[in-house]
Amino acid sequence: MAPSTPLDGLDKAVFQELVASFGFQMTPQDEADYFALVKAMEDEVHEVEAMPAYVDPRLVPHVALPVSARTYTVPDKKDNPLNAWSHRFTLKDDAAVATGILAGRTVALKDTISVAGIPLTLGTHPYQLTASADVPYPVPTIDAPVVTRLVESGGVIVGTSTCENFCMSGLSDTSATGPVDNPWLKGYAAGGSSSGSGVLTAIPAVQKWRQKRSLPTNKEQLGEGVDMAIGGDQGGSIRLPAAYSGIYGLKPTHGLVPYTGIGALHPICDHAGPIASSVSDVALLLSAIAGHDGIDPRSSPETPLRKNVPAYHKLLEAAIAEKEAGGAWTPTTAGKGLRVGLLKEALALPQLDPSVAAVVRAAAAKFESLGATVVDVSAPLHSRGSAIWTAAMRGAMADVFLASKAPDLHAFTTTEVSPPIMTQAWYETMTKASPMVVTAVLGSAYMGDTARFPHRYRNKAVSHVAQLRAAYDALLEDVDVLLLPVTPSVSPPHMIKAAGEASAASTLEMYQAHLGVSDNTAPFNITGHPALAMPGGWALAADSEDGKLPVGIQLVGKHHDEVGVLMAASIWEVAGLGLDEEGHSPGP
């Protein structure tokens, strides 16, 4: 690995050390010439570094509320009993509220999304994001495109939501502010890393479910929620919170929703998308935020520009209306013509709880009762999906999520975030809070060393990403959607009980628990297929005598067939919502 260059410039000694690291032997003239050439490169880098910062005019803060007028609060515990809120503020355009498709619906944003004037935490401590221990959280100077689109669509953004520490957890107890509690059962995971977005969206849904059954709504124990939220999903981070919290979360086709201005894990797996309490609201929110922004390199030639984005909610309504008009929207006929593939390998994972498998198989039977055709399908490579996910990005991942490395293609990456200083204190703090982050740092340093792992290793992994995508595509030629579990079990109890408190579990146990929940979700992050998590039923909670928690089912469709996935979900619910089956939760 090449030595670091002093900040005061390249000198002959450092250059000679650089040459020696390659084993090169140079003549004096060549050494002088190459030194001059490398020094010229450095001078140009410093020249650019000295230029004034540039902000793409498409990312300027929304004029509805100038940055100078944007204020925020950090909610007290009494106003944030589940620890789902990060910062509270209000951002809206009154004219758009009156005319836009969101019409005043309240929205929370995962705390990885840039909002000008509002601190950005990425779920970690402020000193992990800045160069000095006494500097507060960085404050973005831009509004991410999803923020602008929400405001323009009439949404009322009411705050940012707690997320996992650097988003490296599928559970919900690693945030610097402490565990985020499941709204159905306090002390249990809410799913991550978009933990707060899932919980805040679930709060009204839980209250509605309890009120319908004449149970206490537990308003004080739950706190204030929202109508809908935006999450980020790199390995399941929208779908896992949705499944654990009994709501709906869509990871759209890769690049459909712009990721510009959002804290990244790696461009190959980054997705942003809607979290809501109904299929129709997922479609509505997707209509508000989808479309290429002209900046994000994650989009593909198939990604529509913003002006060409279909009205997903209207297309869904029209498809349902067509069936209704033909008298086919009934509990025995709604599924006619729909082909569902039950993915064999997803139900064969060794860690899958039998109760979850039973809910998924019952979901398949429900599709059949609705008139759909359900067949068993097989993609053997699915069982290696998580390994391919790892091999395709782990070597560079820490540079992206810790140091904000921009994609190699044209993109806009925030410059407010500085990489943490890797000291012993950093190691001890992060090992206690989230050993997944430390593992990512060590793994990226080791796997990113091209002396050990030449680029051909990742090149081969990326070719297997294409192979995995082709395997799912082949199945989706014969079926409309794939059906499989989201999580291997219902929500487990928290492993970390309070902020700053070490878990009784070992580092290895922590890692396996927090990242071992994504084997059925992460493969679709690298293949880019749209995938929806929705409530499918109930299963008994661990360490509870009679408390039950939601089980999520997952529907996966063809690229850019979000309407088809949402329609399949709507069909399934004609025979009853997934949480209509009686489950009992003691409450939070």
Side-chain angles (χ1 to χ4, degrees), residues 191-266:
S193 61
S194 306
S195 47
S197 286
V199 168
L200 293 174
T201 306
I203 286 173
V206 171
Q207 292 174 329
K208 182 179 179 181
W209 186 94
R210 295 179 67 86
Q211 187 175 31
K212 185 177 179 181
R213 289 155 179 80
S214 300
L215 297 170
T217 57
N218 291 351
K219 184 175 181 179
E220 291 184 0
Q221 292 91 342
L222 294 174
E224 182 182 357
V226 294
D227 296 320
M228 49 188 61
I230 304 297
D233 194 314
Q234 284 87 14
S237 294
I238 287 173
R239 290 159 290 161
L240 298 171
Y244 283 139
S245 297
I247 51 174
Y248 303 75
L250 175 69
K251 181 200 75 62
T253 301
H254 192 230
L256 177 59
V257 175
Y259 209 82
T260 304
I262 304 176
L265 190 61
H266 194 284

Side-chain angles (χ1 to χ4, degrees), residues 29 57 94 114 151 178 186 205 207 211 217 220 262 281 298 337 370 424 430 440 454 457 490 495 515 538 546 578:
Q29 184 60 54
D94 289 331
S114 295
V151 174
K186 191 173 180 63
Q207 292 174 329
Q211 187 175 31
T217 57
E220 291 184 0
I262 304 176
D281 276 357
R298 296 164 185 81
L370 286 153
Q424 180 65 23
M430 194 56 72
Y457 279 85
V490 294
M495 299 183 77
L515 293 184
W538 301 89
D546 62 350

Side-chain angles (χ1 to χ4, degrees), residues 379-400:
L381 201 58
H382 178 80
S383 62
R384 295 186 176 181
S386 290
I388 297 171
W389 184 96
T390 293
M393 73 185 79
R394 281 286 191 177
M397 195 167 65
D399 286 341
V400 176

Side-chain angles (χ1 to χ4, degrees), residues 122 124-133 138 166 398-405 414-423 426 441:
L122 304 184
T124 194
H125 298 88
Y127 55 80
Q128 309 287 12
L129 303 177
T130 55
S132 175
F166 283 114
D399 286 341
V400 176
F401 83 87
L402 278 177
S404 297
K405 179 183 181 294
T414 180
T415 57
E416 284 93 356
V417 175
S418 300
I421 300 172
M422 304 293 183
T423 62
W426 179 91
V441 170

Side-chain angles (χ1 to χ4, degrees), residues 408-440:
D408 291 330
L409 298 175
H410 168 65
F412 182 91
T413 301
T414 180
T415 57
E416 284 93 356
V417 175
S418 300
I421 300 172
M422 304 293 183
T423 62
Q424 180 65 23
W426 179 91
Y427 163 76
E428 291 175 359
T429 298
M430 194 56 72
T431 291
K432 183 186 296 184
S434 179
M436 292 69 72
V437 175
V438 179
T439 304

Side-chain angles (χ1 to χ4, degrees), residues 1 63 70 84 94 111 213 218 279 347 396 402 411 454 478 490 504 518:
M1 187 176 294
V63 295
R70 296 185 182 187
D94 289 331
D111 201 355
R213 289 155 179 80
N218 291 351
V279 177
L347 288 165
L402 278 177
D478 297 321
V490 294
S518 60

Side-chain angles (χ1 to χ4, degrees), residues 309-379:
V309 167
Y312 297 99
H313 60 298
K314 290 185 178 180
L315 292 176
L316 180 62
E317 290 169 359
I320 293 173
E322 183 178 354
K323 277 191 172 272
E324 286 177 332
W329 198 244
T330 74
T332 57
T333 63
K336 285 187 176 180
L338 179 68
R339 302 166 300 167
V340 178
L342 187 60
L343 187 58
K344 172 185 172 183
E345 287 75 17
L347 288 165
L349 295 177
Q351 69 271 34
L352 187 68
D353 190 289
S355 62
V356 172
V359 168
V360 175
R361 293 192 185 280
K366 186 173 177 179
F367 268 121
E368 287 184 317
S369 71
L370 286 153
T373 299
V374 179
V375 295
D376 290 334
V377 296
S378 176

